[in-house]
Amino acid sequence: KSSEKSAETADTTVTESKFLNEPLVEHIFTADPSAHVFEGKIFIFPSHDIDAGIPDNDLGDQYAMRDYHVFSMEQPGGEVTDHGEVLSVDEIPWAGRQLWAPDAAHANGKYYLYFPMKDKNDVFKIGVAVSDNPEGPFTPEPEPIAGSFSMDPAVFEDEDGSYYMYFGGIWGGQLQRWNGGEYAPDGEEPAADQPALNPQIAKMDDDMLSFAETPKDVQILDENGDPLLAGDNERRFFEAAWVHKYNGTYYFSYSTGDTHKIVYATSDNPYGPFTYQGVILKPVQGWTNHHSIVEFNGKWYLFYHDTQLSGKNHLRNIKMTELTHNADGSIQTIDPMNN
Ligand code: FUB
């Protein structure tokens, strides 16, 4: 594990080492880890996977999660503390079902937990819950965030103190039902030769409970400056948006879904357009791939999940490993199956 082997691939350098590579949590199933440094520690806000006995389907009904736990660690490789259940579906007035991938932010002396969930009409919206402490418990607002839709929120704090929410996901994430801004229950992905559906961005209001603007498309362009196409399954946006900033450049990373990779695109503006760059994480064990990227004490880390503990797609376990930016700003590809 401590050796520094690396190999060249078509994408970029593959780092085969630097893996902590053990599940961070084993007493419950966890997924979709959003990591942040709060109060000098690493806090992780993941999904809490359960087995609800629902068969796998392409809309993800088997991901029937009912609450969230928060975890923290003093340092990478250190002990992971489970702060217990911090929010339950039973406490959320607008709840239908499925608490999917959350994120968190710190502002105004408070901590905000952002979560996607289907409402009573089975339409995904994004909610917010508030706490005085990063370890919760979190008190939900009575309604979802006005103007929110789809799932997988990621809230990025820029250096000027602005906060932006990136969100969206296709297939079970329902982004295809919002093409054009209005809800269309029969909405489908565009044809393969048309531009792919775009992830969304909205600046957060100062209250952190509402959007300051109508959500906008985040364009992802290829090397020629053309939008990625819906049929470009190896590169087009599927779900799991995350943004980090490195040396003044915005890195928008996401899952390609049915091709199971975490990839990234870069821009000099938080609104984009972003230009596709390459693969951060090759497919993991299990169907979904979902990550976050955070700097801690001068090193960068990738948090992700796989299904090592269960062998089942909907019962996942979170992991972390070191992430390396090359001198030219590119990110070294990580191969989780070969480390
Ligand atoms: O955990 C449920 C869903 O699976 C997430 O919202 C997606 O990103 C995928 O990881």
Side-chain angles (χ1 to χ4, degrees), residues 195-272:
L197 291 172
N198 289 314
Q200 302 291 302
I201 180 173
K203 189 170 189 188
M204 298 303 296
D205 190 88
D206 289 343
D207 67 9
M208 296 297 280
L209 304 175
S210 53
F211 292 157
E213 59 187 0
T214 301
K216 299 173 168 60
D217 279 14
V218 177
Q219 277 212 315
I220 307 172
L221 309 177
D222 67 13
E223 61 280 10
N224 302 314
D226 297 322
L228 295 182
L229 299 180
D232 188 352
N233 298 46
E234 298 292 334
R235 299 191 296 179
R236 61 96 169 83
F237 173 78
F238 190 98
E239 63 187 7
W242 188 261
V243 170
H244 74 280
K245 198 173 184 181
Y246 178 77
N247 281 350
T249 294
Y250 299 86
Y251 288 69
F252 180 81
S253 47
Y254 56 97
S255 168
T256 60
D258 53 350
T259 52
H260 314 288
K261 291 177 290 189
I262 299 297
V263 300
Y264 74 107
T266 56
S267 178
D268 59 7
N269 189 310
Y271 288 92

Side-chain angles (χ1 to χ4, degrees), residues 57-63 97-98 100 116-118 122-125 150-152 168-178 189 238-239 287:
N57 62 37
D58 279 350
L59 294 182
D61 284 328
Q62 65 275 23
Y63 299 100
R97 61 185 179 126
Q98 295 182 294
W100 281 12
M117 184 182 59
K118 285 179 180 161
D122 237 20
V123 177
F124 262 119
K125 301 275 174 61
S150 197
M151 40 66 109
D152 284 5
I170 62 175
W171 295 18
Q174 302 182 343
L175 187 59
Q176 68 279 4
R177 300 185 186 181
W178 295 91
E189 280 186 85
F238 190 98
E239 63 187 7
W287 200 96

Side-chain angles (χ1 to χ4, degrees), residues 21-82:
N21 200 39
E22 297 297 329
L24 290 172
V25 175
E26 302 205 3
H27 63 290
I28 60 173
F29 291 109
T30 53
D32 311 322
S34 291
H36 292 274
V37 179
F38 295 142
E39 299 179 343
K41 293 190 274 193
I42 298 174
F43 276 86
I44 311 168
F45 302 84
S47 300
H48 174 196
D49 283 353
I50 55 168
D51 191 357
I54 300 170
D56 279 27
N57 62 37
D58 279 350
L59 294 182
D61 284 328
Q62 65 275 23
Y63 299 100
M65 298 83 102
R66 297 189 55 82
D67 64 19
Y68 294 114
H69 284 225
V70 171
F71 300 87
S72 66
M73 60 202 309
E74 303 272 347
Q75 64 203 14
E79 188 182 336
V80 179
T81 302
D82 179 358

Side-chain angles (χ1 to χ4, degrees), residues 93-204:
W94 56 278
R97 61 185 179 126
Q98 295 182 294
L99 284 174
W100 281 12
D103 192 20
H106 178 216
N108 308 326
K110 307 253 182 221
Y111 292 86
Y112 300 88
L113 180 66
Y114 298 95
F115 59 91
M117 184 182 59
K118 285 179 180 161
D119 66 11
K120 296 183 193 307
N121 297 316
D122 237 20
V123 177
F124 262 119
K125 301 275 174 61
I126 296 169
V128 54
V130 187
S131 178
D132 290 331
N133 304 297
E135 63 267 29
F138 290 85
T139 304
E141 290 292 293
E143 303 281 348
I145 295 174
S148 72
F149 54 90
S150 197
M151 40 66 109
D152 284 5
V155 175
F156 165 71
E157 179 186 2
D158 208 347
E159 285 159 311
D160 66 357
S162 301
Y163 291 82
Y164 301 92
M165 182 184 288
Y166 298 83
F167 63 94
I170 62 175
W171 295 18
Q174 302 182 343
L175 187 59
Q176 68 279 4
R177 300 185 186 181
W178 295 91
N179 202 359
E182 296 296 319
Y183 184 67
D186 299 330
E188 293 184 354
E189 280 186 85
D193 62 352
Q194 296 299 305
L197 291 172
N198 289 314
Q200 302 291 302
I201 180 173
K203 189 170 189 188
M204 298 303 296

